[in-house]
Amino acid sequence: MDASSSVNSVKKSPLLNRQIPIVTRSVKGKFRTFKTAVMVIAYSVYFLLPWMPWERSTGASQALLFDLDARRFFIFDLVVYPQDIFWLAMLLFIAAALLFFTTGLIGRAWCGYFCFQTLWTDLFIMIERMIQGERPARLRLMKQPWNAEKILKMGASHGLMVLVSFWTGVTFACYFTYAPDFIPRLFNGSAAEAGYITVVVLTITTYVAAGLSREHICTLACPYARFQSVMYEADTLAVAYDAKRGEGSAGRKAPAKGLKTREERQASGHGDCIDCGFCVQVCPTGIDIRDGLQYQCISCGLCIDACNTIMDSVGSPRGLIRYDSEQNLASSAPHAPRMEWKRPKVLGYAAALVIATGILFYNIGSRHATEASVQQVRQPLFVMLSDGSVRNRYQVNIINKTEHEQRYELRVQGIPPNALDIGHIPQIRVRAGKTLSLNAKVDLSAEQARNTKEFSFIIIPTQAEAEPVVVKTNFYSH
Ligand code: SF4
Ligand code: SF4
């Protein structure tokens, strides 16, 4: 073979492998039921939470509200301030650790059941099925020329998807503003510009991602699909086809005369797979799990339900496709699939998860109602007064994290009380959720200044049960 013919023989691979639209078939089974239950719970939470009232003395009476204007996040009784950014960092770390932990244990469970892309795609497929019918009817409709029926059914399906996408966007915006006020304003044109932008962007992205792109988001755009293999081990449970059982020694074969019962098939060397293709038809990413573990598989378990249905109908045991580990499938004496959690990687993820969650809860539980910080004015660092004493200046910031106005006393510790001067402020008052910055001067005699390297400000809330906050700072005299 010469070089040119060898080059010509190389097949060009298309940019997108799947150019045939995936039209999935519906299926019944425990994984489908679980997916539907997760969907119902997730949608109920997402769409109803902004409408849940919650009594509070400051801020809107909405259970979950990310009030960007006031720089406060209301999460039921918890109020989160920008200073609590550490909580967000911990939350992201916990989410990552939880994802790694579940992936190490049972593969892409997140993708198959909980990911937003999966949830919305699943809903849009249900809409298509409701309006256009089951898979054969949808395929027929797709192939037929554009006529009144096709325009009506396609238009109604996509119209409904756009409507769901629109309400998804509206709901998302409701998390950032008082929902009962936002909705009428949105429709009478008096809502904030940011509200309209959010709704438009979310409507477009939801419709494009779940209504048009669907599995391409999972297989081409999602970075997690690419690096999930790092978390996989031979013991990780994943949706897998039992090739030994399915293929036998003579391969899979459709039932035919003399190949109807399991005994007949086994006698002729054929495996339990009757090559019906049901597992492929239900797959939302359009793959054939019989080709082995593939990065496109989102572990949704629908092919398990499909195959179990077929196995029931032909009188073979269930589990030809099942959650199992690579190691168990390859074993000469496989045991019932089980979660092998006693592995260093899984235990490591679990430890990280538990420690991070503990730190977060401890931090939330031990938060003070008042936070304070002190910054020394550095230009100049100190001033020599005419009587020889030394002056340092400070900016004291007091954050009132309670839901009511708070009064404070400011004192010093480690230096004489009369060294502190905050001007003619009769009372330090900070409104709920607000920060107050006040300027303080500290004057020490030459001798005291020589002997003082640091001292503390004490911020004392006047409420009896509130704890004072002590902030150490430096005193400079040379
Ligand atoms: S192969 Fe099975 S588990 Fe994987 S995505 Fe397809 S239907 Fe879901
Ligand atoms: S559903 Fe089961 S029997 Fe049918 S093709 Fe898939 S693996 Fe084979």
Side-chain angles (χ1 to χ4, degrees), residues 132-196:
Q132 300 172 18
E134 200 31 278
R135 184 173 189 264
R138 298 205 319 272
L139 284 172
R140 217 172 24 249
L141 189 73
M142 195 185 287
K143 283 181 197 145
Q144 81 185 38
W146 284 97
N147 56 16
E149 185 205 6
K150 187 165 176 174
I151 292 170
L152 201 71
K153 286 186 173 172
M154 287 289 193
S157 314
H158 285 269
L160 205 52
M161 286 181 217
V162 171
L163 211 62
V164 172
S165 304
F166 171 70
W167 202 249
T168 302
V170 171
T171 304
F172 185 79
C174 285
Y175 282 95
F176 297 87
T177 182
Y178 184 50
D181 183 46
F182 175 67
I183 301 296
R185 281 173 166 276
L186 181 75
F187 291 105
N188 69 23
S190 62
E193 209 173 84
Y196 289 105

Side-chain angles (χ1 to χ4, degrees), residues 241-242 246-247 252-253 265 272-282 288-290 302-311 314 320-321:
Y241 168 68
D242 187 342
E247 305 294 314
R252 64 184 83 138
K253 196 162 173 53
R265 296 178 71 84
D272 282 349
C273 175
I274 61 165
D275 211 10
C276 63
F278 194 15
C279 52
V280 183
Q281 290 169 14
V282 299
D288 188 341
I289 194 66
R290 295 172 298 173
L302 294 182
C303 54
I304 303 179
D305 283 339
C307 194
N308 282 344
T309 309
I310 299 298
M311 291 297 107
V314 297
L320 177 55
I321 301 177

Side-chain angles (χ1 to χ4, degrees), residues 225-286:
R226 303 287 164 164
F227 73 76
Q228 47 154 341
S229 55
V230 177
M231 288 158 259
Y232 270 78
E233 288 180 308
D235 278 326
T236 301
L237 285 184
V239 175
Y241 168 68
D242 187 342
K244 273 194 265 175
R245 189 189 137 188
E247 305 294 314
S249 56
R252 64 184 83 138
K253 196 162 173 53
K257 199 159 177 264
L259 285 178
K260 291 235 164 79
T261 66
R262 196 168 189 227
E263 291 69 34
E264 287 171 343
R265 296 178 71 84
Q266 280 177 345
S268 61
H270 292 294
D272 282 349
C273 175
I274 61 165
D275 211 10
C276 63
F278 194 15
C279 52
V280 183
Q281 290 169 14
V282 299
C283 178
T285 62

Side-chain angles (χ1 to χ4, degrees), residues 47-259:
F47 287 107
L48 297 180
L49 207 50
W51 298 96
M52 190 173 173
W54 200 262
E55 271 316 306
R56 56 171 69 91
S57 49
T58 58
S61 307
Q62 188 167 309
L64 197 65
L65 177 65
F66 305 122
D67 191 343
L68 296 178
D69 273 350
R71 294 190 178 81
R72 279 188 292 172
F73 290 176
F74 300 99
I75 305 168
F76 300 95
D77 273 338
L78 184 68
V79 185
V80 182
Y81 295 86
Q83 296 78 11
D84 301 319
I85 188 82
F86 169 74
W87 295 356
L88 179 66
M90 286 311 285
L91 212 58
L92 291 176
F93 182 81
I94 289 169
L98 185 62
L99 186 66
F100 291 179
F101 174 71
T102 47
T103 308
L105 213 54
I106 43 173
R108 293 176 74 177
W110 160 261
C111 302
Y113 304 101
F114 307 103
C115 175
F116 309 120
Q117 174 66 17
T118 300
L119 290 169
W120 263 260
T121 300
D122 225 10
L123 179 66
F124 286 3
I125 290 174
M126 282 180 187
I127 289 174
E128 270 180 2
R129 191 175 305 128
M130 189 178 76
I131 295 172
Q132 300 172 18
E134 200 31 278
R135 184 173 189 264
R138 298 205 319 272
L139 284 172
R140 217 172 24 249
L141 189 73
M142 195 185 287
K143 283 181 197 145
Q144 81 185 38
W146 284 97
N147 56 16
E149 185 205 6
K150 187 165 176 174
I151 292 170
L152 201 71
K153 286 186 173 172
M154 287 289 193
S157 314
H158 285 269
L160 205 52
M161 286 181 217
V162 171
L163 211 62
V164 172
S165 304
F166 171 70
W167 202 249
T168 302
V170 171
T171 304
F172 185 79
C174 285
Y175 282 95
F176 297 87
T177 182
Y178 184 50
D181 183 46
F182 175 67
I183 301 296
R185 281 173 166 276
L186 181 75
F187 291 105
N188 69 23
S190 62
E193 209 173 84
Y196 289 105
I197 294 172
T198 306
V199 171
V200 170
V201 169
L202 260 289
T203 303
I204 294 171
T205 48
T206 306
Y207 174 65
V208 169
L212 303 178
S213 305
R214 297 197 176 167
E215 76 285 353
H216 293 313
I217 298 290
C218 308
T219 55
L220 297 172
C222 178
Y224 177 53
R226 303 287 164 164
F227 73 76
Q228 47 154 341
S229 55
V230 177
M231 288 158 259
Y232 270 78
E233 288 180 308
D235 278 326
T236 301
L237 285 184
V239 175
Y241 168 68
D242 187 342
K244 273 194 265 175
R245 189 189 137 188
E247 305 294 314
S249 56
R252 64 184 83 138
K253 196 162 173 53
K257 199 159 177 264
L259 285 178

Side-chain angles (χ1 to χ4, degrees), residues 370 405-411 427-429 459-468:
T370 300
E405 184 179 277
Q406 184 68 272
R407 291 159 196 217
Y408 299 93
E409 275 179 39
L410 185 64
R411 294 187 197 163
Q427 205 165 39
I428 302 168
R429 292 158 63 155
I459 298 99
I460 308 163
T462 52
Q463 259 184 337
E465 72 272 17
E467 284 192 17

